[in-house]
Amino acid sequence: MNSSEQTTPLLEVRHLSKHFGAVQALNDFSMAVRPGEVVALAGDNGAGKTTLIKAISGVFQPTGGEILLRGQPVTFATPQEAREKGIETIYQDLALADNLSIGANIFLGREPMRKAFGFLPVLDRKAMAVAAKQTMGRLDFHVSRLDAPVSNFSGGQRQAVAIGRAVYWDAQILIMDEPTAALGVPEQRKVISLIHQLKAQGRGVIFISHNLQDIFAVSDRIVVLRRGIQAGERRISETNHDEVVKLMVGG
Amino acid sequence: MTSTSPIETHVAPQADHGDPARSWLARIAEGRAWLFLAGLIICFEVWSRLSFGATFVLNPFNVQSIAIFAVAPLLLATGQTFVIISGGIDLSLGFIMGLAAVVAAHATNMAGVAMPVPLAMMLGILAAVIVAGVPGVINGLLISRLRIPPFIGTLGMFGVARGAAFLLAGGTTVPVQNSWFALLGNGRFYGVPYLVIIAAVFVVVMHYILSQTRFGQHNYAIGANVQAARRAGIDIRGHILRLYVLSAMCAGLGGALYAARFTAGAAQAGEPLLLDSVAAVVIGGASLFGGSGTIFGTVAGALVIAVIQYGLVFVNVEPFWQFIAVGLVIIISVLIDQAQRRFSGARQDE
């Protein structure tokens, strides 16, 4: 066993609860993500996975419990606040502007400017392209035409751009909501290899998937949710598909 | 497997679709409005020479007339370009222009009583642009806060601006008594009409805003994927509000220049220009679904329409053919756009 279990978790949620009116979507839920660790979240539809990640990423406030970032309690009023603290969510439906280049997507909403002719502020496309090339290089994606709109790229490449954006802005915790769901099999493998890279860089990843094969290929631990409660937590090396399915459906 | 090796599932670098031939074709397709314009001018030149033994395009009078003719629709179309790229449409621009023309006339006349002629002119133009901004603010609030679809919200404003313009004009045209204003609309600087100079400067500024600023960049992003833009932290509501104010102010300037050219403000000034403005944007290569388009494409689109309208009159064709010709050009333009998308649509997973 490696020593990562002793280090302070990057992210920890303790006794987190969230209810909508009478509906208890999340009930006394606890988990932790350590640096360089991939934690899979599994559970049937409506088990509370989405509620959990929305609470962590600042989309809404938990009703009870706390979130700790490197041991410090935090609260996020908006997703922007969570992002500024290094928590980035990557959505399955590819949150990219397809008509813009990789660089423009990485910098969307935070575009660098430069002064043309010494006075006129203009978009610094060159800086964006350079950053795009470097970032994608770190993820082992090499693209020659940096001015091409991302619609020219395949689904896996575009998923890589979304991950690249998180990496460029130095997200320490990446929440990936079904990152492989919209992709073909070879593309899924690419995304899995990207997650390995993130792990090697010491980032924490929360990986949500319906695909147990993907979960077993990439995760260190798996946390199973069932009707808003933590139904079990297993080291990937110490469990198997059958046990996880049993935990999910409640055997 | 607590420490999975990253090499295990290492994937070879992906080649992108940077095929030079395709990008060359794409470039032609992007500039198709200019090619179209060139072809159109050649057609009229041949037609004119064969029928009358006279030149069409080499006659400076024709060039000047077409340029002046294109100014007002172009101003409307520049604002419309921004809106269409964002995935919206602004149907109220025509009557905002009429409203602005009437306001320009009234304001110049009123200011002229109390102050020097040039100052009165400037106040008149300023008043027109600012008053035009009011329906723009309302459009923006309706669309961004109350989530009314742009088509409906601006259609409502189309009616409101129309009524306000006619009420303000007292149901007639309002003549302008201001010598500078008349000069602005009809004078020339080294043979180039002031109106054309103003429009050219305006177009360059708008091109800068669209292609070189965050506002322009966000406009493209919102048009392509508003969800992505929102997640990236862009203030969508603020952007939409500014967007419709911008397009309304473009129409406001168009109205002021109209009043200068005809030395009168008329509520119906922009009525026929609204659809021309949409047509110019579409001929210029923008997609009505949002996310694409350029200011210079729109310039070509506006010139295509102006050349068709003026050219057909020049070669003595019944004026009603203009509508048919412009209509056909719009349809052909959209067909080319779709074909080009299909051809260069390199997206692999759909």
Side-chain angles (χ1 to χ4, degrees), chain B residues 8-26:
Chain B
E8 197 176 309
T9 44
H10 183 88
V11 175
Q14 286 297 299
D16 61 328
H17 305 281
D19 176 0
R22 179 178 282 141
S23 85
W24 183 74
L25 272 163

Side-chain angles (χ1 to χ4, degrees), chain B residues 243-279:
Chain B
L243 176 65
Y244 283 89
V245 172
L246 178 75
S247 73
M249 285 182 155
C250 290
L253 184 63
L257 296 187
Y258 176 96
R261 183 175 158 209
F262 295 102
T263 57
Q268 70 276 16
E271 189 173 10
L273 301 185
L274 168 69
L275 289 180
D276 282 355
S277 80
V278 177

Side-chain angles (χ1 to χ4, degrees), chain A residues 28-43:
Chain A
D28 197 28
F29 179 89
S30 300
M31 71 177 281
V33 184
R34 293 178 181 77
E37 194 180 35
V38 179
V39 179
L41 269 185

Side-chain angles (χ1 to χ4, degrees), chain A residues 1 80 83 91 93 96 98-99 104 111 121-123 125 140 142 144-145 152-153 157-158 193 196 216 220, chain B residues 1-2 4 9-11 14 16-18 208 211-212 214 217-218 220 224-225 228 231 233 291 347 349:
Chain A
M1 208 63 249
Q80 269 72 38
R83 190 174 295 145
Y91 297 90
D93 52 351
L96 300 177
D98 271 351
N99 55 349
E111 292 82 359
V122 296
L123 291 172
R125 291 187 201 279
D140 226 349
H142 300 276
S144 56
R145 275 189 63 210
N152 281 17
F153 301 117
Q157 287 171 318
R158 284 186 286 158
S193 95
H196 282 300
F216 276 79
D220 299 301
Chain B
M1 45 182 269
T2 44
T4 327
T9 44
H10 183 88
V11 175
Q14 286 297 299
D16 61 328
H17 305 281
Y208 161 76
S211 69
Q212 298 299 334
R214 285 187 182 150
Q217 187 82 346
H218 296 173
Y220 281 106
N225 188 342
R231 283 172 184 166
R347 192 177 293 183
D349 58 340

Side-chain angles (χ1 to χ4, degrees), chain B residues 16-17 51 82 96 104 133 166 175 184 195 203 218 252 285 295 335 338 346:
Chain B
D16 61 328
H17 305 281
S51 310
F82 277 82
I96 291 179
F166 277 107
L184 178 79
L195 289 182
V203 158
H218 296 173
I295 294 294
L335 286 177
Q338 285 181 345

